[in-house]
């Protein structure tokens, strides 16, 4: 069984992706796996029985999906720099998956309710500039 370098911890100088190990056939399975992981992270936020706070809702949401962000960034940079018919076909398969994932998050009523609860209760003045932007 071959490992998918996109799903492994990056252990390279400066945490650069191991491009020499990444093959085109790694992208679609990696994106699907990272979407599942991202959905599970969002589900943990919405299932959290604790009162919504900036930390357990807003910051947790910002931290979710980081693996997917990295894989997508690698893929779309490759698509821009060295595209070919196979990469374009993969992009055609990946793009709707990413759109569906983003829509699922934006339209999640439980998540929206938690965010709204935080927004209504957090003291805007107590937030750092970075937190307020987030």
């Amino acid at each position: 069984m071959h490992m998918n370098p996109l799903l492994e911890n990056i252990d390279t100088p400066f945490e650069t992706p191991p491009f020499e190990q990444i093959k085109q056939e790694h992208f679609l399975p990696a994106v699907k796996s990272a979407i599942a992981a991202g959905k599970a992270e969002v589900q943990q936020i919405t299932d959290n029985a604790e009162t919504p706070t900036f930390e357990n809702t807003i910051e947790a949401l910002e931290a979710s999906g980081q693996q997917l962000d990295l894989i997508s960034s690698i893929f779309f940079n490759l698509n821009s720099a060295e595209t070919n018919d196979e990469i374009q076909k993969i992009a055609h398969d990946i793009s709707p998956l990413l759109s569906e994932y983003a829509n699922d998050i934006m339209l999640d009523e439980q998540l929206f309710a938690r965010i709204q609860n935080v927004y209504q209760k957090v003291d805007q003045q107590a937030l750092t500039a970075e937190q307020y932007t987030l």
Side-chain angles (χ1 to χ4, degrees):
M1 181 172 142
H2 297 285
M3 301 303 271
N4 188 329
L6 292 167
L7 297 173
E8 302 298 316
N9 288 330
I10 295 177
D11 187 23
T12 59
F14 308 107
E15 297 181 356
T16 56
F19 287 104
E20 70 282 355
Q21 298 173 18
I22 300 170
K23 299 193 178 347
Q24 292 176 2
E25 62 266 18
H26 290 140
F27 283 106
L28 188 57
V31 165
K32 287 180 178 180
S33 176
I35 284 173
K39 285 181 177 182
E41 291 166 345
V42 171
Q43 190 67 48
Q44 285 182 320
I45 297 168
T46 59
D47 287 349
N48 189 340
E50 295 177 12
T51 300
T53 64
F54 189 85
E55 291 76 18
N56 73 18
T57 302
I58 308 301
E59 286 181 0
L61 181 60
E62 178 67 12
S64 73
Q66 288 186 352
Q67 182 184 39
L68 181 60
D69 291 344
L70 176 62
I71 294 167
S72 298
S73 177
I74 293 168
F75 176 76
F76 286 109
N77 281 313
L78 179 64
N79 187 29
S80 294
E82 297 182 24
T83 196
N84 60 42
D85 290 345
E86 182 61 24
I87 291 174
Q88 289 178 14
K89 181 187 176 307
I90 295 167
H92 181 76
D93 294 338
I94 287 176
S95 292
L97 297 175
L98 296 175
S99 294
E100 181 182 351
Y101 173 73
N103 285 341
D104 286 349
I105 291 172
M106 289 190 303
L107 300 174
D108 185 309
E109 291 180 13
Q110 288 179 289
L111 183 60
F112 180 77
R114 286 187 69 88
I115 293 169
Q116 187 174 34
N117 187 294
V118 170
Y119 180 77
Q120 290 172 346
K121 292 183 178 165
V122 72
D123 178 0
Q124 306 294 328
Q125 305 303 320
L127 298 177
T128 66
E130 182 180 35
Q131 288 173 322
Y132 188 77
T133 301
L134 182 61

